Amino acid sequence: MEPRKKIFIIDDDSFLLDMYALKFNQSNFSVTTALGPEPALEKFHQGYIPDVILLDIVMPVMDGFELMEKLKEENLAQSAIFIILSNRGQPSDIARGESLGAAGYIVKASSTPSEVIDKVNSIINSTKK
């Protein structure tokens, strides 16, 4: 059996964070969460390296794009697969996510939690070398 993939879910909505954590845990992922970008950065600075980073865009203080830029600047989580999970689904947002290295972009409003897990697994499988 494959080892559990480490997924780091970053969102400023604690209800969604808890729900996705539970769902991914039930789907054989090892889940870590951060309620916003600052605690997420703290975790990266402590050396945490997940396989997958699932992050929201619209967050206070620093949005998901800025967090991705900061992680790249500081060479943190280089091997992680970035997947954006946001209610913002404009083509310009998707293009910006891709330009920053996101392997996928999932619009929350049009995906059930089960569909999000399926899409994340699909993205992981398509990025395997």
Side-chain angles (χ1 to χ4, degrees), residues 4-5 16-17 25 27-28 34 37 39 46 48 52 54 65 68-70 80-81 84 89 100-101 116 118-119:
R4 288 164 57 110
K5 289 252 179 259
L16 287 178
L17 208 54
N25 200 26
S27 297
N28 203 34
Q46 292 168 358
Y48 179 64
V52 180
L54 188 65
F65 294 133
M68 288 176 74
E69 288 167 348
K70 189 150 186 65
I81 299 167
I84 295 170
L100 290 171
V116 170
D118 290 345
K119 288 176 186 176

Side-chain angles (χ1 to χ4, degrees), residues 57-118:
I57 294 302
V58 183
M59 296 185 280
V61 183
M62 177 190 305
D63 71 22
F65 294 133
E66 292 167 325
L67 178 60
M68 288 176 74
E69 288 167 348
K70 189 150 186 65
L71 292 173
K72 288 198 183 325
E73 271 171 32
E74 297 184 21
N75 291 324
L76 297 167
Q78 291 173 297
S79 61
I81 299 167
F82 284 85
I83 302 171
I84 295 170
L85 177 64
S86 178
N87 276 322
R88 286 179 50 178
Q90 290 83 2
S92 60
D93 292 321
I94 295 168
R96 184 165 179 207
E98 287 172 355
S99 74
L100 290 171
Y105 198 110
I106 303 168
V107 179
K108 287 181 195 175
S110 59
S111 304
T112 65
S114 298
E115 289 170 337
V116 170
I117 290 166
D118 290 345

Side-chain angles (χ1 to χ4, degrees), residues 13-74:
D13 182 322
S14 60
F15 173 78
L16 287 178
L17 208 54
D18 291 346
M19 182 202 50
Y20 283 115
L22 176 67
K23 292 287 185 186
F24 276 98
N25 200 26
Q26 291 170 341
S27 297
N28 203 34
F29 280 83
S30 172
V31 181
T32 301
T33 60
L35 190 59
E38 296 91 343
L41 270 174
E42 177 81 20
K43 196 91 174 126
F44 287 118
H45 288 143
Q46 292 168 358
Y48 179 64
I49 302 172
D51 298 306
V52 180
I53 298 169
L54 188 65
L55 76 158
D56 189 15
I57 294 302
V58 183
M59 296 185 280
V61 183
M62 177 190 305
D63 71 22
F65 294 133
E66 292 167 325
L67 178 60
M68 288 176 74
E69 288 167 348
K70 189 150 186 65
L71 292 173
K72 288 198 183 325
E73 271 171 32
E74 297 184 21

